[in-house]
Amino acid sequence: MIELLTPREVDEARLSGQFVAKTLSDLRERIEPGTNLLEINDWAASMIRIAGARSCYVDYAPSFGRGPFGKVICTSVNDAVLHGLPHDYVLMEGDLLTLDFAASVNGWVTDSAISFVVGDSSAPEDGYMIETTEKALLAGIHAAQSGARIGDISHAIGSVLESAHFQVNTEFGGHGVGSTMHQDPHIPNIGKPGRGYVLRPGLLLAIEPWIMDGTSKLVTAPDGWTLCSSNGRRTAHSEHTIAVTEAGPVILTQLA
């Protein structure tokens, strides 16, 4: 399913984007060495309740997971890159953490992810990985012009990732959002320009470059959900939800 929102509906979706962005920002400020992943989930659940929002994750049960997910946020640590299931783990100084959060506000879903190092110790290679995903994300967003194609976004992302010497996995990527969390079109993180679905005003897209150090292969953790690098090395992931408009892409999940 592909939904095209009216300008009024895009404005309504901005409220969802601001909630998701503020939740991630507040969590990042609160997290420190000694924080338990289950605490992060509880904090996010409380924020959802207070805002009158709805979690997109609790009942989520796709074919690739051992569902339902049962938590409200993904917490991926170090070698984990996607769908990190919160569990009883206490974060340590220097852990590389990704928070991936989607919620529905007034019927519209937005989705965003941030990666950062916990505490004050940060290895240069961690910063390089995070910065690379952020640059690739901005390149993909810039390519999301009305009349362009999905392949233009994929090509822009992949060009940044490959120029930084990272291998690109195509099993999981960006996707459409709207009244539900995962919709068509799928957005691979590498591709050929001029190919695929034509972008139209009102289309909401969650664009999400992610990388693993030294590999493109994923393995699934014993929890049936968390996806990790096959070589056990670190990972990074950045994501925004954007709206395609006649005037250009608008980032919905960026703090005002």
Side-chain angles (χ1 to χ4, degrees):
M1 178 176 71
I2 295 178
E3 290 181 318
L4 296 178
L5 279 62
T6 66
R8 178 178 177 178
E9 289 170 335
V10 170
D11 283 340
E12 292 172 354
R14 291 174 188 265
L15 296 175
S16 175
Q18 284 299 295
F19 169 69
V20 166
K22 189 173 188 310
T23 298
L24 288 175
S25 177
D26 289 352
L27 289 173
R28 180 170 184 171
E29 288 296 318
R30 196 167 180 176
I31 291 168
E32 60 185 5
T35 300
N36 194 298
L37 298 183
L38 294 176
E39 287 183 280
I40 298 172
N41 182 75
D42 290 344
W43 295 338
S46 177
M47 293 172 187
I48 289 171
R49 286 194 300 272
I50 291 170
R54 181 178 61 82
S55 170
C56 295
Y57 292 166
V58 169
D59 298 323
Y60 186 52
S63 59
F64 57 79
R66 189 184 297 163
F69 189 73
K71 305 295 182 184
V72 302
I73 191 168
C74 295
T75 55
S76 302
V77 184
N78 295 333
D79 64 323
V81 65
L82 297 173
H83 313 154
L85 185 65
H87 59 284
D88 186 14
Y89 174 80
V90 176
L91 291 165
M92 297 184 292
E93 179 81 24
D95 276 344
L96 201 165
L97 174 65
T98 295
L99 302 178
D100 191 350
F101 182 62
S104 176
V105 177
N106 295 328
W108 299 114
V109 173
T110 54
D111 190 0
S112 186
I114 56 172
S115 289
F116 57 96
V117 176
V118 176
D120 299 322
S121 301
S122 179
E125 54 269 28
D126 292 340
Y128 180 69
M129 290 186 68
I130 294 168
E131 183 180 3
T132 297
T133 62
E134 292 172 344
K135 286 181 177 179
L137 176 58
L138 290 177
I141 291 170
H142 181 73
Q145 306 289 334
S146 178
R149 293 179 179 268
I150 289 296
D152 297 320
I153 300 175
S154 299
H155 177 72
I157 293 170
S159 295
V160 173
L161 300 182
E162 289 194 318
S163 68
H165 308 294
F166 289 101
Q167 301 175 45
V168 182
N169 178 289
T170 58
E171 294 174 78
F172 296 91
H175 50 89
V177 293
S179 59
T180 58
M181 180 172 62
H182 285 137
Q183 299 183 3
D184 291 329
H186 173 64
I187 311 170
N189 283 325
I190 194 168
K192 295 182 179 180
R195 304 283 185 88
Y197 180 79
V198 177
L199 308 183
R200 296 172 172 83
L203 180 67
L204 300 192
L205 298 174
I207 300 174
E208 50 179 317
W210 56 275
I211 50 178
M212 302 177 287
D213 185 19
T215 186
S216 64
K217 295 182 180 180
L218 290 166
V219 294
T220 304
D223 63 22
W225 272 103
T226 305
L227 297 177
C228 304
S229 60
S230 62
N231 58 7
R233 290 160 70 175
R234 295 206 180 200
T235 69
H237 177 195
S238 296
E239 178 180 17
H240 272 311
T241 294
I242 64 110
V244 177
T245 76
E246 291 283 5
V250 175
I251 303 174
L252 301 181
T253 50
Q254 189 166 45
L255 280 177

